[in-house]
Amino acid sequence: MKIVLVILISNILASCNGQLKSESEQAEIKSHEFGKVVSELDDQIWRIFQDSKDNYWFGSNGNGIYKFDKTIITQFTTKDGLVNNSIRGIQEDSAGNIIIMTAKGISKYTGTEFITLKPVKSSNNEWKLQPNDLWFGYLNDLYRFDGKSLYELELPRKDLKKAFGRNTSQGNNNNPYAVFGVNKDKAGNVWFGTESAGAFRFDGEIFLWFGEKELSTLPDGRVPGVRSMIQDKDGNYWLSNFYSKYRIAPDLPNGYEKMKAVELPKEIVKDKILYFNAGIADENGNLWMTTYGGGVWKYDGKTLSNFEINNGKEDVLLISIYQDNKGTIWLGTNNDGVYKRIGNDFKKFEPKM
């Protein structure tokens, strides 16, 4: 009996060890297969971000997100737990997690997994403005993430017909309050650009509404949308166009003053669209703005100059602009990957591994 018992125990232990080994091997394989090592970036890179560890993240329009650690490029998709493969925004929270906005939800990357953040709808709307909050806006969706909860918000409604004197729902989204851009100014106030309902500034307590006709549906039916809001070295705000800039003036009836942004040469007015889809202010206070098919524009406070981006075959269609931790400017495109500013030119970025 003792011999039989020893044999049975030995068999059980061997079986357990085999099972444990098998599970360990599976876990190792799963960890190894998390993400896919690739040799190049997608042609459609809409978003660029550098995290606090100096890793670069490149968000594509349909093929997930790429992480470049200066050694390898790792591609993550819905197969790895990403909620959607079309990336619309990349940020980092105070805990070091990468928060990724997609066309169909928001994912949190912890370094080992993707977690889909579930939005909380609150009856009192949870409008707050805290230093570590992250804001996300894309079309009908507007969210505030405080590190724990993701709050779904709604902009205040205005009398658009009275303000603009015409229909403001002629865009593809058919919602004038669809959020096209979110930015923060130097004082930490958050700005929201919409499809055709103008722009809003939230200071933590009240909203300041910019209900100007050039920020809505245009007389010819175009709906450029307020996609980017940037602050120049004089403290004035540029809201996605070269026509006007705004100065906050609490003593005025509207709370702001509208001024001419820049003198525009006739050839520019004739040949180029006067709205930009993304913009930044660099460390010297220069404004950099991108147009879809019209290259990059730089405004140094006096002169507006243009940089054409062409790959020798076609114009490069620009989607976004980003300034990294060292002040280098990057461009995200819809047809030719990523461009990086080197000297006075923008060159196609080819990661060296």
Side-chain angles (χ1 to χ4, degrees):
M1 290 294 294
K2 290 182 179 179
I3 295 174
V4 173
L5 184 59
V6 170
I7 293 173
L8 286 174
I9 293 174
S10 298
N11 289 337
I12 292 171
L13 289 174
S15 176
C16 289
N17 288 336
Q19 183 179 358
L20 289 173
K21 183 177 180 180
S22 176
E23 290 176 353
S24 175
E25 288 174 347
Q26 289 174 4
E28 185 177 347
I29 292 172
K30 183 178 180 181
S31 175
H32 178 71
E33 291 181 346
F34 183 65
K36 177 184 177 182
V37 176
V38 296
S39 59
E40 59 185 7
L41 300 174
D42 192 71
D43 283 339
Q44 292 186 317
I45 297 295
W46 281 26
R47 294 291 179 263
I48 301 166
F49 179 75
Q50 186 181 22
D51 65 25
S52 58
K53 297 178 181 177
D54 290 335
N55 300 307
Y56 285 94
W57 296 82
F58 302 99
S60 76
N61 182 37
N63 283 312
I65 191 167
Y66 299 80
K67 176 185 177 183
F68 179 52
D69 64 2
K70 299 180 182 178
T71 303
I72 61 172
I73 304 173
T74 306
Q75 180 186 18
F76 300 102
T77 67
T78 52
K79 295 179 180 179
D80 304 296
L82 188 64
V83 67
N84 184 262
N85 286 330
S86 297
I87 310 304
R88 299 294 181 259
I90 311 168
Q91 299 185 60
E92 183 176 5
D93 68 15
S94 58
N97 302 304
I98 305 301
I99 313 299
I100 304 162
M101 181 177 70
T102 77
K104 293 185 178 180
I106 297 176
S107 292
K108 178 173 73 171
Y109 176 69
T110 65
T112 57
E113 64 177 340
F114 288 94
I115 300 171
T116 301
L117 300 181
K118 302 296 183 181
V120 176
K121 294 185 178 181
S122 174
S123 58
N124 59 9
N125 228 355
E126 290 293 342
W127 276 101
K128 296 179 181 180
L129 186 59
Q130 302 173 131
N132 291 328
D133 286 348
L134 302 182
W135 294 85
F136 297 89
Y138 178 67
L139 296 185
N140 288 324
D141 305 318
L142 174 58
Y143 300 106
R144 178 178 69 86
F145 181 59
D146 65 1
K148 295 181 179 179
S149 299
L150 181 71
Y151 296 100
E152 184 176 344
L153 307 175
E154 183 178 278
L155 290 169
R157 270 35 185 172
K158 300 292 182 179
D159 189 341
L160 302 182
K161 186 175 182 180
K162 180 180 179 181
F164 304 126
R166 55 180 175 267
N167 183 9
T168 58
S169 302
Q170 299 178 20
N172 294 331
N173 194 59
N174 203 35
N175 174 15
Y177 293 92
V179 177
F180 273 28
V182 180
N183 297 102
K184 276 192 174 183
D185 62 24
K186 297 174 184 177
N189 304 304
V190 63
W191 292 70
F192 308 97
T194 70
E195 180 186 80
S196 55
F200 294 80
R201 170 183 176 263
F202 180 58
D203 66 3
E205 297 182 2
I206 61 173
F207 289 90
L208 178 61
W209 180 48
F210 295 75
E212 298 293 330
K213 292 183 178 180
E214 70 261 28
L215 307 181
S216 183
T217 304
L218 304 182
D220 61 6
R222 285 182 300 150
V223 186
V226 183
R227 302 171 185 271
S228 181
M229 297 130 285
I230 49 179
Q231 187 176 8
D232 65 23
K233 61 183 67 176
D234 296 321
N236 301 313
Y237 299 92
W238 296 52
L239 307 182
S240 269
N241 69 84
F242 299 119
Y243 294 110
S244 305
K245 59 185 177 183
Y246 300 86
R247 180 178 69 87
I248 304 297
D251 56 321
L252 295 178
N254 290 331
Y256 63 83
E257 176 187 13
K258 183 170 76 169
M259 303 172 287
K260 179 182 287 189
V262 63
E263 291 292 338
L264 296 167
K266 291 183 179 180
E267 60 271 18
I268 292 179
V269 176
K270 180 181 178 181
D271 298 332
K272 305 290 185 180
I273 187 170
L274 300 179
Y275 285 79
F276 56 89
N277 54 19
I280 60 167
D282 68 20
E283 51 195 8
N284 296 316
N286 301 307
L287 302 186
W288 295 83
M289 299 154 281
T290 63
T291 53
Y292 189 64
V296 181
W297 297 84
K298 177 185 177 183
Y299 182 64
D300 62 7
K302 296 181 180 180
T303 304
L304 184 68
S305 53
N306 181 242
F307 298 78
E308 293 186 358
I309 311 297
N310 189 292
N311 60 17
K313 299 178 181 179
E314 59 184 351
D315 288 335
V316 177
L317 305 177
L318 304 178
I319 297 291
S320 64
I321 186 167
Y322 177 76
Q323 184 173 228
D324 69 16
N325 301 339
K326 293 184 178 180
T328 301
I329 297 175
W330 299 72
L331 304 174
T333 83
N334 195 43
N335 63 340
D336 201 26
V338 176
Y339 279 70
K340 178 180 180 181
R341 188 177 182 225
I342 300 175
N344 292 321
D345 297 316
F346 287 92
K347 302 291 185 181
K348 176 77 176 287
F349 174 62
E350 303 287 354
K352 295 180 181 180
M353 296 176 290

